[in-house]
Every structure is written in structure tokens, then in C-alpha cells.
Amino acid sequence: MKQILVLGAGLSATSLIDYLLKQAEIYDWYIVLADIDEKLAHKKIKGHPRGKAQAFDVADSAAIDSLLDQKDVVVSLLPARFHDSIAAACLQKGIHMATASYVSPALKLMEKEIEAKNLIFLNELGVDPGIDHMSAMRVIDKIRQKGGQLASFYSFTGGLIAPESDNNPWHYKFTWNPRNVVVAGQGVSQFIKNGKYKHIPYHQLFNRILEREVLDYGSFEIYPNRDSLKYRKVYQLDKIPTIFRGTMRRPGYAAAWNVFVQLGCTDDTYVIEESENMTYREFVNTFLRYDPGKPVEEKLVDYLNLDPEGEVMQKLKWLGIFDNRKIELKNATPAQILQKLLTEKWALDPDDKDMIVMQHEFEYELDDTMYQITSSMVYIGKSTTETAMAITVGTPLAIAVKLLLTGQIQQKGVIIPTKPELYNPILDELETYGIKFVEKELIV
Amino acid sequence: MKQILVLGAGLSATSLIDYLLKQAEIYDWYIVLADIDEKLAHKKIKGHPRGKAQAFDVADSAAIDSLLDQKDVVVSLLPARFHDSIAAACLQKGIHMATASYVSPALKLMEKEIEAKNLIFLNELGVDPGIDHMSAMRVIDKIRQKGGQLASFYSFTGGLIAPESDNNPWHYKFTWNPRNVVVAGQGVSQFIKNGKYKHIPYHQLFNRILEREVLDYGSFEIYPNRDSLKYRKVYQLDKIPTIFRGTMRRPGYAAAWNVFVQLGCTDDTYVIEESENMTYREFVNTFLRYDPGKPVEEKLVDYLNLDPEGEVMQKLKWLGIFDNRKIELKNATPAQILQKLLTEKWALDPDDKDMIVMQHEFEYELDDTMYQITSSMVYIGKSTTETAMAITVGTPLAIAVKLLLTGQIQQKGVIIPTKPELYNPILDELETYGIKFVEKELIV
């Protein structure tokens, strides 16, 4: 009997645990789900004879040590910062490991030793990173196999609200970590287009958007997603003249969000004095010129050259940023204050569903003809607990664990799913869950 | 005989060494000047019988240890990052210390021990920080003594080119560390005006300028200088409704510099790929939209809404940022590339002189009347080696060392010059060197 340890019983655990428990009957597995909240773990195991819930504190290394005993693989759904120490423990005890997180620099350093011990450490097996790698590589390899020369690669992903639940002027709600949404894009974004490098500082990011249609789901706008250049190495596209990765929102979002960026409301690097006594209106005013004769709205409109009756101001007013309501957060950064307000306004309603949208666009040359392939996926969540985000993170990771335990992975070491032995079976099985890419090819 | 060790024989050492050697005759002192470049140290000591030049490597702690032996005070003109370890050595050996640099967090931690040993560690005794503290505190204390209530305090400083050497369209040349000029203002700037906090993100900084006249030296523009709020504590102005510190440039500078900020050319956090093969024109183009049909100049004008024939574009063209000239810097950050270009264009000519400008503006209430005091100082350098910057850093520090060695400082511990026992004699003596504040008072 193979033993699987799953660390963390949060949102993404549901689909993963359901999947593993189902397979456990077929393959003779036993699953221990450990979480700081033992009740939550019990809720997910639901008394299944092949599962067990256990309390566990990530700070208690002796507890982790005994949890690891006799396990064949550890799946960590904990926040990424905990993975390095767990990886080190797995390596020491000779246990395979799997996560949906990025390969960390510390893990990179363990790579050779992991390989030498014939271990398999699977990473980047969620949706983004994860499904993005797999779906892109499947098309890239197909183009290569027929001798095509890739000329450009665009890849867009968005975690959004489903059309049936889209009832606010931002066409956006929080469907994952709010903090990551507030600080998204900070730093520089880089890509290359027809051999020309492009660098976009954060304060210009939401001015530099693309627009796209995806299947029957209407229009999206896209802003550049940090460092696209590094994906040339990940996908072995070293010489590709154009590569661009972007984040999707509904049209109109970027122009309104840009107000917060321009003002400085997304800054998470300093604390505002007396923030606990401030109102949201005063908060906005701290970023505007001193002029007691003018209302805040008018100062904002003048400062950023907005239409006082336009859509951007409508969105801002709807959020309540001009309200004389106390923030009630002490020693808060601007980003924390903005997050507090957004968390109230962008919360999911009990019946809401979220949506994951992904689209890749490839151009390639073959026999003097230019072709374009568009590969698109839209997946809508089932509920506020079985979200599209949780399902598309947990399911590919679960399938990968099955491949590992059934001996279908030939690679050893630190692995991300860019090879057919992983992406083919995982993408095929994801289709049975409705996570399916639709491909269109045309001559351009 | 008192022994003084001076570490670092760079620009600011000249006036300091000249001053100390002259006083050495009167007070029976001996001065050791140590620098990694022994020849440079010899050049500054000029064979004076009361001075000695010595080679010294800051990385060699045994050498520092033996240099410290028998010394009464150590004056460090080294880059600020070296001060903490030297301070620790001075503390251990019971030697006083003096620098022109900011009090570091590490020095703060040694404060109690320094005080317990009855040692005097003088800090912030250059021009800014230094003369700014002293000249401001002299006025603030005077207002307090007569019972006035401070309503506002503005303080501006600029290290600029002297009018007689001002012959480029930027009205600016490098008169101190170029890197600090390129990255100036990064992070958030904060101040308070009539009780309203104001926060300005870096990308808005050069839009938020003030204008002032100073004496007969014409107009200056001023942008906020980082955290003005912390000076409430430094100057004991906890409840002051308005406090603002700014950096001075000549009019027109901010609008043109803002182009670099808006593009992202001052970013020092990432390296541009293939920078060594890029031209300055290509560098600028990496920040602009892809549009091969449009020249770079036109794209820039459109992007940032500039007047194609206006002064901003004139300044940019004069710098050569549109030239097809190779950058020839490998693995360079945008800030490093910009600095390389500016260092060529903003270099001092052999006959150039620099200029330090400082102006404080106070408003206070006394007997139901509002008064305004303006205190202004302009000091012009003597040459490209005896710069205003070097003299106004080295001279107050030298005078402070005299005060220390002649027993005129009653305070012990970690000290900055905000008390009369330091600011009065130093400011008085600085006047004999032509470093003089002109005060105007009027009823408003």
C-alpha cells in the first residue's frame, strides 16, 4: 500500500483529496491529510476508509518528521514559503514530493541530490503555473514536430468572475488571494516583440493593454505579466522573436485600476501615520494636492485628467473611496487600506461562481506559409468553495501524483510539466473534468 | 599632544585637513590622514610637520586597529557603509568619532554604551545633513525663546552648478555622486501641510514641484525630498501642522527629468539583456510601444504628451538619448545606462564652479501676529576640486572636531548638531568662510 501525505486542507485540497481517495480504491493507497485545523481536514476526508485527518503545525519540525515516516509522496498545498524546508526533509528521507508552486532557488540547489537519489519532485502543477505550461508545450511540440518555425507566442491567463455572477461595474471580484491582486504587476514587466525588447515600469503597466476575444465569452483586456523573457528558457524558445505573457481582466478594469497605481494607493512599502483615524476619503486625499477649496473628487479628476461623469469615476464611486467612513486599520500601508475596502466590495456572494480563462496564441512558419493557432480554455467554478481556481489547481496536481505513484514518470529530479510524459496524460484527463482547450488554426 | 586620525582623503578631506593642520599649531595636535591611495593622502598633507599620510585598506581590520592606537578622535570621510565597523572599533578603544553621515541604525544600538563611556560620536556634520540642521535649529530656537508658535517649516537644499558655469539646457551638472542623482527620490515622499498628510509616489514626484526665488540667484524649482515627517522628531516639532523638505533644481529640470521617470529609465532593480549591443536610441525605444513605422522621437512625444519642439525635447536631444551610439555597458540596469550618458554630458568643465543653495522658510504666530522668516544661503565653490560641496561638508565637520578636542561639547553619546553648543560656534565660524545665512523677517 502506497502512503500519500497531503499538507494543507484549504480550498485547493478539496478536488485533490476527492480525486486521490477515489483512485485509492483502485491503486491501494492510503492518504493522510494534515492541517493546523484538524476539523477542516476531517471535513475533507469525510470518514473515507482510505483517508485519515491529522492536526499538524508547520512550525513543529519534529511533528513533520514523524508525519513523513512511511510516506511515499508528500503533496504540499501550504503557502509556498514553507516548501523549501519540507523539500529538504523529503530529500533527506527519500520521499517524492509534489506542489503547485514555482521552483524556488533553494529547491534548485537541491536538484542534483534529488536526482542522485532517484526522487521525483513535481512543481508548477496547478493552473498558472501548471496548466499554462502543459497546454502551451503541447502546441509548441506539435508545431516543432511538423517542422514549423515559431515566430510568436502570446499567453494570457485570468482568474475572474463567471459571467452569470458578474454584477458589479468592475466586472471583477476576488477569487483568490486579495493581496496578490492589489500588488499585481509591481516591479518591471518585460517582453520581446519582433526582436525588440520592451520594458514597462509598473506605473505604465495599466496604460499598455491588449484586447482579445475568447471563445463565446466576450472581450478581455490584458496587461503584461512581469518577466515574459524567462519563459524562453522554460519552453526552449531561446530565439523566438516575440514572447508575451499577460494577465486578463474585463474591459475597463485597467483604466480604473490605473487610478490607484497613479495615486500610489497600491504601495505596500510604508505605513500611513494615523491610518486608524482616517476615512477612505481622507486616504485618497493624502495622494492629492493640498487645496482645501476643492472637493476630493474634483482634485482627482483634475490630477489624473479623468472624465468626471465617465466610467472610471463611476467605478471609483461604486467602491466608496470617497466615503467619509473610517478605515479602522492601524499602521496600515496604502495597499492594506485599499485591500480592506476591496475585500468588502469585491467579495463573492454565496451563489457566485468564478472563472479561469486561458488563451495561447502561436504564429509559425511552415513551407513559406504563416499559420496561427489559438488555444483557449474557459472553466467555470461550481460554487464559492469548489471554485474554478481551486479545481484547476488541485486536479492537475492530483493527476500528477497518480502518474508518479503508478510509475509513469521517467524523469527524475526537480520537474515541471513541460514534457509529453506529463502534459499528455494530465491534459487528456483534465478534459474529462471539463478543463478543455479549444484549438483554432488558420493561415495568416 | 592630541592625535587625530582622518580616514579618507577624497574631495571633502581637503578643506577639513587644511583647517585641522592650521589649528594643530595653535592647539598642539597631530593628524594622520589614511587613504587606500597613499599618494593622495600625501598631496593633502603637503609635508606639514603636524601631519602624516598613511596607506590604509578599510578591509584590513588589523590595520585599522593599529591606526586607532593612541588616537583621541577618528574622523571618517569614507563612504557611510564603512562607518558602523569603525564606530564599533572606536567604542571598544574609547576614542571619539566624527562623520558627516546620517546616524545609522547600528550606531543607534551602540548609543547607550557610547554615552556610558563618556564618548562623543558626532554625526550629520556636513552640509545636508549638517548645515541644514544647524541653520534651521538656530531659527527655530530663536522663535521658541521669544514665545512664538511655529505654524510651518519649509526647507530646501540643492547642490547645483554656479551661475557663471551654467551653460547647458538642463542648468545642471554632476557636482556629487552621479548615482545618487539618478535614483534621487525613489520610494515615497511624505510631508504634512496644514495638518493634512501628503504622500507622493516616485512616478508623481516631478509633477509636484514648488517654485522659489533665492536672494539674487534667480528662480529654483523644488521637488519633495523623501520623508519630511521624520524631521518633526529631529527638530522637536511634533505638533507642527506643516513641514516640507525639498530638493532644488533650476526651472525646467523636473519636467525633463520626469520623462526618464515616466519611461522607467531610472530603474536600478533589473538588468537589460544585451545592453552592450544596444544604442541609446534603442534603449529609449525599449520603453516605448512597438511601432516600427514611427520614429522613436515621435513615439516618445505621443506617449508622454510632449511638445515636439518644446524645451523638454530640446533637453533630451541635447543629451543625445536619440543617438545611434552604442552604450557599451554589459549587464547594465536602466539607471546605469542613463548615468553613463549623463556622466559624459553633465561633467564639470575644468574651470567650472559648483554652488550649494539652502533656504528655510518659517511661519510663526506671536501675539496674534503671523511672521515669516526666510533664511537663505548660497555658497559658490572655488574650483572643480575645492567645490562648494566639498567645502561645506568638510568645514563644519572640522570645526566640530575642534570643539570636541577643546572640550566645548557638553553632550555625550551619539550627537547631531541640533543644540546651541554646536550650532552657534559652527555657524559663526562658517560665516568667516563665507558660508553665511541671510535672514529676512516680515509680517504676513
Side-chain angles (χ1 to χ4, degrees), chain A residues 197 199 232 273-274 286, chain B residues 197 199 232 273-274 286 290:
Chain A
Y197 290 102
H199 307 111
R232 291 174 303 183
E273 256 183 47
E274 298 188 61
T286 70
Chain B
Y197 291 102
H199 307 110
R232 293 174 303 184
E273 254 181 51
E274 298 188 62
T286 70
Y290 181 81

Side-chain angles (χ1 to χ4, degrees), chain A residues 106-224:
Chain A
L107 188 59
K108 261 284 172 214
L109 292 176
M110 302 180 215
E111 191 168 20
K112 283 211 171 132
E113 231 183 311
I114 293 168
E115 225 179 306
K117 282 195 166 181
N118 266 323
L119 291 173
I120 299 173
F121 278 38
L122 298 169
N123 309 273
E124 307 187 17
L125 268 155
V127 56
D128 175 6
I131 294 177
D132 57 343
H133 294 330
M134 296 187 268
S135 50
M137 282 309 297
R138 173 133 84 169
V139 178
I140 290 166
D141 283 346
K142 190 174 69 177
I143 292 169
R144 275 188 189 134
Q145 272 152 27
K146 58 181 167 186
Q149 183 75 25
L150 259 172
S152 89
F153 171 43
Y154 286 81
S155 179
F156 317 124
T157 305
L160 300 162
I161 189 75
E164 56 260 51
S165 309
D166 179 352
N167 58 1
N168 77 39
W170 288 78
H171 308 296
Y172 190 80
K173 297 184 185 183
F174 282 134
T175 63
W176 59 302
N177 187 337
R179 185 179 178 278
N180 289 357
V181 176
V182 172
V183 302
Q186 293 189 2
V188 70
S189 288
Q190 310 185 59
F191 60 94
I192 189 164
K193 175 152 177 169
N194 291 340
K196 306 285 184 195
Y197 290 102
K198 294 294 164 190
H199 307 111
I200 307 183
Y202 177 57
H203 63 270
Q204 298 288 5
L205 196 62
F206 296 92
N207 289 327
R208 300 282 290 267
I209 57 171
L210 306 178
E211 288 231 8
R212 288 296 192 278
E213 304 273 323
V214 178
L215 302 175
D216 298 329
Y217 290 85
S219 290
F220 298 86
E221 60 183 25
I222 295 145
Y223 62 86

Side-chain angles (χ1 to χ4, degrees), chain B residues 205-407:
Chain B
L205 197 62
F206 296 91
N207 290 328
R208 300 282 289 268
I209 57 171
L210 306 178
E211 288 232 9
R212 288 294 193 277
E213 303 273 323
V214 178
L215 303 174
D216 299 329
Y217 290 84
S219 290
F220 297 86
E221 61 183 24
I222 294 144
Y223 63 85
N225 181 4
R226 302 295 312 267
D227 186 6
S228 296
L229 299 176
K230 72 175 178 205
Y231 288 85
R232 293 174 303 184
K233 198 175 168 206
V234 175
Y235 298 157
Q236 293 176 292
L237 299 171
D238 291 5
K239 304 272 176 211
I240 195 165
T242 299
I243 187 164
F244 178 100
R245 283 172 55 99
T247 299
M248 305 178 103
R249 295 285 185 265
R250 287 295 191 177
Y253 180 98
W257 187 259
N258 197 29
V259 169
F260 295 134
V261 175
Q262 293 311 312
L263 289 178
C265 298
T266 63
D267 196 326
D268 204 28
T269 64
Y270 71 97
V271 154
I272 291 189
E273 254 181 51
E274 298 188 62
S275 59
E276 70 275 21
N277 298 319
M278 237 175 227
T279 66
Y280 287 105
R281 187 178 187 82
E282 286 166 344
F283 168 64
V284 172
N285 194 30
T286 70
F287 301 104
L288 297 169
R289 287 179 210 280
Y290 181 81
D291 188 349
K294 267 193 192 176
V296 172
E297 291 87 343
E298 197 182 324
K299 289 200 289 185
L300 176 64
V301 158
D302 291 352
Y303 190 46
L304 298 182
N305 221 340
L306 305 174
D307 173 358
E309 306 301 326
E311 281 188 21
V312 167
M313 278 300 278
Q314 303 290 346
K315 287 188 179 69
L316 297 174
K317 283 176 186 167
W318 178 86
L319 277 181
I321 66 161
F322 302 112
D323 291 357
N324 265 318
R325 189 159 62 93
K326 281 256 171 105
I327 294 165
E328 289 175 345
L329 259 188
K330 213 177 161 161
N331 295 327
T333 67
Q336 287 165 346
I337 293 170
L338 182 58
Q339 183 181 328
K340 182 166 193 253
L341 181 66
L342 295 174
T343 302
E344 294 170 21
K345 297 288 178 168
W346 284 354
L348 292 178
D349 289 326
D351 295 332
D352 275 350
K353 292 174 180 171
D354 73 326
M355 173 170 74
I356 297 287
V357 184
M358 196 177 282
Q359 180 158 298
H360 307 297
E361 299 167 5
F362 309 87
E363 283 198 333
Y364 69 96
E365 200 182 336
L366 180 64
D367 301 333
D368 294 329
T369 307
M370 280 299 275
Y371 297 86
Q372 188 187 56
I373 294 178
T374 306
S375 179
S376 315
M377 184 273 280
V378 176
Y379 183 75
I380 292 183
K382 294 173 181 163
S383 69
T384 52
T385 53
E386 287 191 278
T387 64
M389 185 66 83
I391 294 169
T392 57
V393 170
T395 313
L397 184 58
I399 299 171
V401 170
K402 180 183 71 176
L403 295 173
L404 193 164
L405 288 180
T406 55

Side-chain angles (χ1 to χ4, degrees), chain B residues 75-93:
Chain B
V75 184
S76 177
L77 296 168
L78 300 173
R81 66 181 181 279
F82 298 120
H83 289 161
D84 291 339
S85 64
I86 293 163
C90 286
L91 171 58
Q92 200 243 315
K93 288 185 175 260

Side-chain angles (χ1 to χ4, degrees), chain A residues 66 151 235 286:
Chain A
S66 83
Y235 298 158
T286 70

Side-chain angles (χ1 to χ4, degrees), chain A residues 96 111 114-115 118-122 125 403-404 407-423 426:
Chain A
H96 303 297
E111 191 168 20
I114 293 168
E115 225 179 306
N118 266 323
L119 291 173
I120 299 173
F121 278 38
L122 298 169
L125 268 155
L403 295 174
L404 194 164
Q408 293 174 72
I409 305 177
Q410 301 308 312
Q411 303 167 78
K412 306 285 174 205
V414 174
I415 294 168
I416 68 168
T418 50
K419 292 272 183 290
E421 67 168 7
L422 276 163
Y423 68 63
I426 295 175

